[in-house]
Amino acid sequence: MSFQFITHLPTPEQIRTEHPLPEHFTEIKRQRDAEIRDVITGKSNKFLVIIGPCSADNEDSVCDYISRLAKVNEKVKDKLILIPRIYTNKPRTTGEGYKGIVHQPDPEKKPDFLAGLIAMRKMHIRAIEESGLTAADEMLYPENWGYISDILSYVAIGARSVEDQQHRLTASGFDVAAGMKNPTSGDMSVMLNSVYAAQHPHSFIYRGWEVATTGNELTHTVLRGAVNKHGSNVPNYHYEDLNLLLELYGKMDLMYPACVIDANHSNSGKQFEQQIRITKEVMHSRKLNRDIHSLVKGVMIESYIEEGCQKVGGGVYGKSITDPCLGWEASQRLIYEIAEYE
């Protein structure tokens, strides 16, 4: 075999036992999960803002960012629910480059998955401790879900993962909101089929077990733009796109039609400054149409302390080493502007 078996990693149960979530944080998560659930199901008119670095590459700067976010959250919590992005796995289009803290706890050193799994969990727990905010992460590897399933309040399924059977079935066992992104092709039917699959019960093999799930009614769509056959970005956040998604939802037997708009990626062409304009257009579309207002439950924004991005080893504190992000000042202003729309 061409596999080289290097280290037998601890199970999620072992890592969770060695690095437990303090008991008083479980009530914070319970309350946050309930608030997010009420938004997805339509019981609450609050708006979700899932915001933070493209990749959570450094515990100190990420927790610093989230502590700043917590202060803003206190001012807007009557209208918004701020969910910090702590994305610990980074999908790479070609497989090259920094793949996240689970792979490399230190981006300038070699991969160390045992240290990475611990670093991922410790960072999430520290963020709750210092901010009182439970976070979102992307489920790039379904078998890693158990390492942080007691911590997260939101899970994203990425554009390259949304067609994968194991991602869909694993999401059907979540008890928190799961956002299914449209694939890079932009095919909305693929995204909606993924939502349908995750909302229903399944039996499958997971981490050596035969398991059964009950379905996750909080699974919803995320529009992140597309890439056409010529390699050009095709946005899908416009008024017409939202109306189309409404029509498609109407043709499928899905619980709680809901959508979150990813303001970066192919919607912005990775022009991070455009996230401000895109978010404002989405908020305007919600004002124009009651059905769109009910459908669009939130936005995703890539944001960090310093704007833009740098190469690994660039040395600028709080600056992305993957996709470019909005800086803190612009992000803070944008959050307040979103709240004014509400």
Side-chain angles (χ1 to χ4, degrees), residues 14-28:
Q14 290 172 315
I15 292 287
R16 286 166 62 162
T17 298
E18 292 172 10
H19 304 277
L21 179 69
E23 196 169 317
H24 57 284
F25 291 160
T26 60
E27 179 59 20
I28 293 174

Side-chain angles (χ1 to χ4, degrees), residues 298-332:
V299 290
M300 289 182 174
I301 298 165
E302 292 195 319
S303 156
Y304 213 171
I305 295 171
E306 300 295 335
E307 72 172 24
C309 63
Q310 63 184 333
K311 292 182 179 179
V312 172
V316 179
Y317 177 80
K319 191 170 188 176
S320 176
I321 59 171
T322 47
D323 289 351
C325 298
L326 284 178
W328 173 249
E329 295 302 325
S331 302
Q332 184 176 222

Side-chain angles (χ1 to χ4, degrees), residues 9 12 50 66 73 94 96 100 124 141 159 167 172 183 243 263 330 338 341:
L9 296 169
I50 303 160
I66 295 171
N73 185 65
T94 64
E96 291 292 322
H124 274 285
Y141 307 109
H167 282 81
S172 74
N243 264 330
I338 293 170
Y341 275 97

Side-chain angles (χ1 to χ4, degrees), residues 101-304:
I101 203 167
V102 171
H103 285 252
Q104 292 170 272
D106 185 333
E108 297 184 62
K109 295 181 179 179
K110 292 181 179 179
D112 185 336
F113 288 91
L114 174 56
L117 290 170
I118 294 170
M120 169 178 67
R121 188 165 174 84
K122 287 177 67 178
M123 179 163 52
H124 274 285
I125 292 173
R126 178 180 167 186
I128 300 172
E129 181 179 19
E130 294 183 2
S131 71
L133 302 178
T134 50
D137 202 345
E138 179 173 352
M139 187 179 72
L140 189 57
Y141 307 109
E143 62 271 25
N144 286 354
W145 162 243
Y147 290 107
I148 47 175
S149 59
D150 59 328
I151 296 174
L152 294 181
S153 285
Y154 187 96
V155 180
I157 310 297
R160 300 165 188 81
S161 303
V162 73
E163 291 189 75
D164 177 63
Q165 181 92 325
Q166 193 75 355
H167 282 81
R168 292 175 170 189
L169 301 189
T170 303
S172 74
F174 292 174
D175 58 357
V176 296
M180 297 287 191
K181 292 194 173 186
N182 63 262
T184 53
S185 68
D187 190 332
M188 289 189 184
S189 66
V190 168
M191 172 180 63
L192 287 163
N193 286 338
S194 210
V195 172
Y196 185 95
Q199 286 191 353
H200 287 76
H202 297 282
S203 297
F204 57 103
I205 298 171
Y206 184 75
R207 294 191 64 93
W209 285 81
E210 177 184 340
V211 300
T213 61
T214 56
N216 179 6
E217 63 184 7
L218 303 180
T219 311
H220 57 276
T221 57
V222 179
L223 295 180
R224 50 87 70 197
V227 179
N228 67 18
K229 64 181 181 180
H230 302 294
S232 300
N233 291 298
V234 182
N236 60 9
Y237 61 86
H238 295 305
Y239 186 89
E240 295 78 11
D241 299 301
L242 301 178
N243 264 330
L244 173 60
L245 181 57
L246 269 171
E247 290 177 19
L248 294 173
Y249 255 119
K251 295 176 182 178
M252 297 190 69
D253 183 22
L254 293 169
M255 291 175 279
Y256 308 120
C259 178
V260 171
I261 308 300
D262 180 345
N264 212 15
H265 297 100
S266 291
N267 270 332
S268 70
K270 295 190 179 180
Q271 302 299 309
F272 69 91
E273 307 99 325
Q274 295 299 314
Q275 294 183 99
I276 298 169
R277 178 189 58 78
I278 291 166
T279 298
K280 289 180 180 180
E281 180 178 326
V282 170
M283 301 308 291
H284 183 62
S285 294
R286 292 179 82 240
K287 271 196 165 184
L288 291 177
N289 185 311
R290 183 178 299 176
D291 291 333
I292 289 176
H293 190 280
S294 297
L295 175 72
V296 178
K297 306 292 189 181
V299 290
M300 289 182 174
I301 298 165
E302 292 195 319
S303 156
Y304 213 171

Side-chain angles (χ1 to χ4, degrees), residues 37-49:
R37 169 182 288 273
D38 285 349
V39 173
I40 299 297
T41 60
K43 291 181 181 178
S44 168
N45 288 323
K46 289 185 179 180
F47 193 71
L48 306 177
V49 180

